[in-house]
Amino acid sequence: MPACPKCGNKETVPTKVYSVIVEPPEGERGLTEKKVGMYTCSKCGTKFPTVVSRQKYLIVAAEQLSTLQKKLKSFESENKHLKEKLDALMLEQKELKEELERIKHEHELRELEIRLKELESYIGYLRKEKSELERKAADMT
Ligand SMILES: [Zn+2]
C-alpha cells in the first residue's frame, strides 16, 4: 500500500493506472513494462505516482523462439524416455534382487541337505559301532 510522500496517509486505490515501456540501459537486453498508478491523497490532496508492477520482456526473433520451443519439446520427450527407462531398470533391479534372494535360499537349503546326509551317515556309523560293542559285550559274557 503506497503512502503519501507529504503526510504519510496510506492509499489503496489509484485514481489512474498507466503503463510505461522502459528501454534497457546501455549494454543490457529487454524492455521493461512498468505499471504506474497515480494516487491522490484523500487527506491532503497530494498527487503521487507509484510503480505497481514490473514485467521484463526480452525480444526474441520468431524463428529463434520456435527453435527454442522445438528444443524444449525434444528435451521433454527425451526426459520422458529416460524416466521410463529408469523405471524399467528399477523394476529389473527389484526382480534381480528377488532372484538372488531365491538362489541364496536354495543354496542354504542344499547346504543343509548335505549336512543332514553327513549326520545320517555318522549316525549309521555310530549304530554300527554300538552293535559291534554289544556283540563284543555278549561274547564276553
Ligand atoms: Zn497526503
Side-chain angles (χ1 to χ4, degrees), residues 4-5 14 21 23 28 51 57 59 67 69 75 78 82 85 113 122-123 136-137:
C4 169
I21 301 290
E23 291 212 16
E28 276 182 42
V51 175
Y57 295 97
I59 301 201
T67 305
Q69 280 169 337
F75 276 140
E78 206 176 307
L82 281 173
K85 246 188 208 168
E113 275 169 0
Y122 187 58
I123 288 168
K136 275 183 187 167

Side-chain angles (χ1 to χ4, degrees), residues 89-104:
L89 278 173
M90 274 166 80
L91 188 70
E92 207 177 309
Q93 193 201 24
K94 198 180 153 240
E95 283 168 357
L96 277 172
K97 220 174 155 192
E98 284 167 1
E99 176 80 4
L100 189 67
E101 208 61 25
R102 200 175 56 76
I103 289 170
K104 214 170 125 195

Side-chain angles (χ1 to χ4, degrees), residues 3-9 11 40-46 48:
C4 169
K6 210 170 181 185
C7 71
N9 178 45
E11 287 297 329
T40 306
C41 179
S42 56
K43 273 194 180 163
C44 69
T46 302
F48 60 97

Side-chain angles (χ1 to χ4, degrees), residues 31-99:
L31 298 173
T32 304
E33 183 189 18
K34 283 183 187 171
K35 287 242 161 72
V36 180
M38 273 309 286
Y39 293 82
T40 306
C41 179
S42 56
K43 273 194 180 163
C44 69
T46 302
K47 285 186 176 159
F48 60 97
T50 297
V51 175
V52 185
S53 68
R54 251 177 251 262
Q55 172 76 58
K56 194 167 180 182
Y57 295 97
L58 277 177
I59 301 201
V60 177
E63 259 173 58
Q64 200 186 348
L65 182 64
S66 121
T67 305
L68 285 172
Q69 280 169 337
K70 269 183 210 148
K71 257 190 198 163
L72 184 64
K73 228 179 207 167
S74 99
F75 276 140
E76 275 169 354
S77 87
E78 206 176 307
N79 193 24
K80 205 181 146 224
H81 267 332
L82 281 173
K83 209 180 161 286
E84 283 167 1
K85 246 188 208 168
L86 186 67
D87 284 347
L89 278 173
M90 274 166 80
L91 188 70
E92 207 177 309
Q93 193 201 24
K94 198 180 153 240
E95 283 168 357
L96 277 172
K97 220 174 155 192
E98 284 167 1
E99 176 80 4

